[in-house]
Amino acid sequence: MKTNALKGMKDILPQEQRLRDYVQSKILETYRASGFERISTPMLEDAENLDKSDGGDNLNLIFKVLKRGDKLESALSANPVEEKNLSDMGLRYDLTLPLTRFFAANRNELQFPFKVIQTDRVFRAERPQKGRSREFVQCDIDILGDSSPNAEVELIDVTARALLNIGCTDERFKNFTININDRRILRNMLQNMGFAPETLDSVCITFDKLDKIGVEGVRAELTEKQLPEGAVKALADFCSAAGNPDGFSIDDVISKCADPSIADDLKYIIATVEKISGGEYKIKYCPNLVRGQGYYTGVVFEIASTSFSGAVGGGGRYDNLIGKFIGQQVPAVGFSIGFERICSILLDIGFSIPGAKEKCALLYDDSIDFTCVLSAAKKLRDSYNVAILKKAKKPGPQYDMLEKQGYTKFATFKDNEVLVK
């Protein structure tokens, strides 16, 4: 029998689990204080729903579940055997598709607009590497039924407060920025430069790499894709004029769009967030921010810090996804905190849970009546988190292990009195 967890998944030891429980509790506390309600959905979803969900590259990472019994035997007996007929369900790769299905099934029982929390595990058949696991936790909030930019403002505000409420005083953690863009503006600009509508997804994927591969890298990749030379030159010249992604302004991009009013919502969101942030976090226009899921229809955002690589959260507006289930459009926008990334950062910087009681081990031997042990532990729990343990014959290694597990106090019995040190 193998003792290691499956590749891309991991066992979590008690000390890390305590941190994860704390982080999740602070996130949930902030979400609920803002009027969001938590739901749960099954880990498994219908294969057809997953395949038609516009999940971008994630559609290639679905853990598929084989049919069972007679249905599987029938599929295997077909000639030829077709892979698509072997599976009828799969593990969810994010929480957005399950939410839209949930809303479609239960909308008559829900308050409208629906402000919802989901914190749960998702699964992707990734190639395991640092920062990419096959099983991980997402913490999402979504607003369904509000088409106004106030929904984006509220999600940004609540998500930022959730991060701040974790209570990490390390400036590297507190110093974060919300990068924001609107896919409609970007696509309008690119089409106006001469890129055909059917090529925009491909162009956006390359443009998203600007801060990694530079202007010449973008030019080379678009040229390799055999896109129109004039359009490639117009985009490259535009990027060169800005100097770097931080050099773009909304007005620069709008000047390249056919319809300047398309940026009104984004301007409102940025201006409003700047007012309410109180300087505790920043918001920045980032025109090369694309995000991968194909279901995003408008504003997209990510949380970034200059102190840590990679995003620690992201989301956007997906107004068309619910309509796939009910045949009518329902506006929707969501923001997901990168729970695993945040926990990893906090572990790396040695974060201590604020206000946590010290851990105390109450050690006893056979000479002590166990009812006395329980009574002593009850009193000690006013000041400590107390574990009751039988004292080892050779206590040295026992103390060493307890200290590794975070115990800072040790209580023992002497003449029926409890001594703590």
Side-chain angles (χ1 to χ4, degrees):
M1 298 288 284
K2 298 178 181 178
T3 59
N4 291 334
L6 291 171
K7 188 175 290 187
M9 303 180 181
K10 69 173 186 175
D11 298 319
I12 299 173
L13 293 170
Q15 188 169 350
E16 181 178 349
Q17 188 62 55
R18 282 193 297 275
L19 173 68
R20 292 168 70 90
D21 289 344
Y22 168 77
V23 171
Q24 189 170 94
S25 70
K26 298 305 289 186
I27 292 171
L28 280 171
E29 178 185 295
T30 308
Y31 288 172
R32 284 180 166 139
S34 303
F36 288 75
E37 300 284 351
R38 189 179 183 187
I39 64 164
S40 293
T41 58
M43 292 182 184
L44 289 166
E45 287 288 339
D46 184 271
E48 183 179 356
N49 287 352
L50 292 168
D51 288 340
K52 295 181 178 179
S53 61
D54 292 331
D57 291 341
N58 290 329
L59 297 184
N60 299 319
L61 303 176
I62 297 171
F63 279 106
K64 296 181 179 180
V65 178
L66 288 175
K67 293 178 178 179
R68 282 80 45 213
D70 292 343
K71 290 184 178 180
L72 178 59
E73 289 182 12
S74 176
L76 289 172
S77 64
N79 188 17
V81 175
E82 295 190 28
E83 181 183 343
K84 66 179 181 179
N85 294 329
L86 296 176
S87 171
D88 58 357
M89 62 181 71
L91 291 170
R92 61 191 176 199
Y93 60 79
D94 72 2
L95 298 177
T96 304
L97 171 69
L99 171 62
T100 57
R101 180 197 52 73
F102 172 95
F103 180 83
N106 299 284
R107 61 189 183 280
N108 293 332
E109 308 297 323
L110 303 174
Q111 179 177 315
F112 205 77
F114 183 41
K115 298 185 178 183
V116 58
I117 306 166
Q118 293 184 96
T119 60
D120 223 324
R121 291 179 293 168
V122 299
F123 305 85
R124 295 179 189 172
E126 296 270 14
R127 179 174 172 269
Q129 55 187 295
K130 184 176 176 57
R132 288 189 180 274
S133 300
R134 289 174 169 171
E135 177 189 28
F136 54 96
V137 171
Q138 286 188 331
C139 293
D140 290 11
I141 49 173
D142 295 75
I143 299 177
L144 310 185
D146 187 348
S147 61
S148 80
N150 288 333
E152 279 90 341
V153 171
E154 183 174 6
L155 289 184
I156 291 170
D157 173 53
V158 174
T159 302
R161 284 192 284 110
L163 286 180
L164 295 170
N165 287 346
I166 290 171
C168 182
T169 58
D170 190 301
E171 288 301 320
R172 293 173 298 169
F173 183 83
K174 291 174 63 179
N175 184 26
F176 61 87
T177 298
I178 311 292
N179 291 327
I180 189 167
N181 190 21
D182 190 321
R183 289 166 66 98
R184 294 169 298 181
I185 300 172
L186 175 59
R187 296 172 77 86
N188 191 296
M189 179 186 78
L190 293 173
Q191 194 166 342
N192 207 37
M193 286 177 170
F195 293 102
E198 63 272 14
T199 67
L200 294 183
D201 286 343
S202 178
V203 176
C204 286
I205 289 170
T206 299
F207 188 39
D208 189 35
K209 302 176 186 176
L210 176 61
D211 55 347
K212 298 182 179 68
I213 64 177
V215 175
E216 290 309 312
V218 169
R219 186 199 301 269
E221 190 167 306
L222 294 177
T223 300
E224 186 178 342
K225 291 180 178 181
Q226 298 183 333
L227 293 166
E229 182 178 344
V232 172
K233 182 178 185 303
L235 180 58
D237 289 348
F238 176 70
C239 294
S240 297
N244 59 72
D246 291 337
F248 291 109
S249 72
I250 296 181
D251 290 336
D252 290 335
V253 175
I254 293 173
S255 69
K256 303 294 183 181
C257 292
D259 179 12
S261 68
I262 202 170
D264 289 348
D265 283 354
L266 189 62
K267 286 183 175 181
Y268 171 82
I269 293 166
I270 292 173
T272 307
V273 170
E274 285 176 341
K275 289 177 183 176
I276 63 175
S277 66
E280 292 186 293
Y281 60 93
K282 306 179 189 70
I283 184 167
K284 186 183 75 174
Y285 174 54
C286 188
N288 61 312
L289 174 62
V290 175
R291 294 196 59 78
Q293 277 83 347
Y295 50 65
Y296 289 129
T297 58
V299 173
V300 290
F301 27 66
E302 283 188 347
I303 309 171
S305 170
T306 56
S307 302
F308 307 103
S309 62
V312 294
R317 182 167 282 280
Y318 53 98
D319 285 348
N320 296 333
L321 195 53
I322 297 174
K324 290 177 177 288
F325 290 98
I326 64 175
Q328 63 186 69
Q329 189 181 71
V330 176
V333 60
F335 209 148
S336 179
I337 282 183
F339 177 79
E340 302 290 349
R341 182 79 180 106
I342 288 167
C343 289
S344 176
I345 290 170
L346 294 175
L347 284 170
D348 289 344
I349 65 179
F351 173 71
S352 296
I353 297 173
K357 287 183 178 179
E358 289 185 86
K359 296 175 69 178
C360 175
L362 175 58
L363 305 174
Y364 71 97
D365 56 37
D366 290 334
S367 65
I368 307 298
D369 187 300
F370 196 61
T371 57
C372 294
V373 177
L374 292 172
S375 296
K378 183 177 181 180
K379 293 177 182 178
L380 287 170
R381 288 186 178 116
D382 290 337
S383 303
Y384 309 105
N385 290 331
V386 180
I388 298 171
L389 300 165
K390 196 166 185 178
K391 191 173 183 179
K393 291 180 180 179
K394 293 182 178 180
Q398 184 180 33
Y399 279 104
D400 291 342
M401 179 57 71
L402 288 169
E403 286 177 349
K404 286 181 181 179
Q405 293 176 354
Y407 285 86
T408 57
K409 298 293 182 181
F410 300 92
T412 55
F413 287 88
K414 185 175 182 181
D415 299 329
N416 289 323
E417 295 291 328
V418 178
L419 303 177
V420 180
K421 61 178 181 179

